[in-house]
Amino acid sequence: MKIAVIHENAEDLLAGYGSLLAAMAAMGHAVNALAPGSGPDAAAGFEALGAEYAMYPLTPRGLTPVGDIGTLLHLKQVLYRIKPELVLSMTSKPVVYGSMAARMAWVGDKKTVFALVEGPGFAFDGGGGPKGRLLAALARPMFRAGFRSCDGICFRSAEAETFFRELGVLQPETRTVVVDESAPEDRDRAVLAFLGMIPSD
């Protein structure tokens, strides 16, 4: 199976979820890591895990309409080329634009789109001032669209799931799970089970 994992930073993806990518590759899947990064070092890191690496443009914090549209279109092109059967997006903007791009990129009966959410993210931690409230108001429909593009959403804490449910951006029927295991091997196993790649315990 072809898999695409989308993140906002290559080094953070390697450090935080390299073991998950390695587990996917060890199962015989073709893993593609999509993330902005520093080039050769990141590519070598992913290659050592058994994953292909591709960069895409991203402004990780703030809302930049022109840049964000460019990110969405670039991801759409990359995903159209790869044609993965499973897409897993992590961190705020990839969860929004990666999930939307996956739905836009191609049509396939076997395609599944997932998100892994660690917390509210930059758009909702700007404080209570006018700028923070505006950013949160603009981000709300974006997250709603991103989540609607997903077949399932994996939250790293119950607090994160509660936050987005109370925000009104999660559909009642959306399939979710909370994976709060701290040990990487336990976390990876729980994520893989939610993705349907291994049996559930």
Side-chain angles (χ1 to χ4, degrees):
M1 178 169 63
K2 287 186 178 180
I3 300 171
V5 178
I6 310 174
H7 199 282
E8 69 180 16
N9 182 281
E11 288 75 16
D12 289 348
L13 176 57
L14 282 168
Y17 290 94
S19 61
L20 177 63
L21 301 184
M24 291 174 170
M27 295 167 66
H29 302 296
V31 181
N32 294 266
L34 281 57
S38 57
D41 290 342
F46 288 113
E47 183 179 355
L49 299 176
E52 296 287 332
Y53 172 56
M55 291 188 289
Y56 70 91
L58 176 71
T59 303
R61 298 186 68 84
L63 294 177
T64 54
V66 175
D68 290 351
I69 290 173
T71 293
L72 175 65
L73 295 178
H74 192 98
L75 282 171
K76 178 184 174 183
Q77 290 178 342
V78 174
L79 292 173
Y80 182 81
R81 174 176 57 81
I82 297 173
K83 291 184 173 59
E85 296 159 78
L86 186 150
V87 177
L88 175 63
S89 295
M90 308 177 182
T91 64
S92 296
K93 285 195 176 182
V95 163
V96 173
Y97 299 120
S99 302
M100 292 172 63
R103 287 298 174 201
M104 296 165 58
W106 81 104
V107 176
D109 293 338
K110 296 181 179 180
K111 175 177 62 178
T112 52
V113 180
F114 294 93
L116 191 153
V117 179
E118 297 209 352
F122 74 91
F124 303 104
D125 62 10
K131 185 176 180 180
R133 288 195 296 270
L134 176 61
L135 182 60
L138 293 173
R140 191 174 295 114
M142 293 167 50
F143 272 89
R144 185 178 294 113
F147 285 160
R148 281 181 175 173
S149 300
C150 295
D151 294 292
I153 303 168
C154 178
F155 290 97
R156 289 305 315 279
S157 70
E159 291 79 11
E161 180 175 8
T162 298
F163 175 86
F164 283 106
R165 286 204 181 278
E166 292 180 348
L167 196 65
V169 298
L170 272 175
Q171 299 294 104
E173 68 275 12
T174 301
R175 179 174 168 247
T176 65
V177 70
V178 173
V179 174
D180 55 6
E181 288 85 349
S182 57
E185 60 271 20
D186 295 334
R187 176 206 64 194
D188 293 348
R189 227 176 1 253
V191 172
L192 290 171
F194 182 67
L195 301 181
M197 299 178 65
I198 62 173
S200 301
D201 293 334

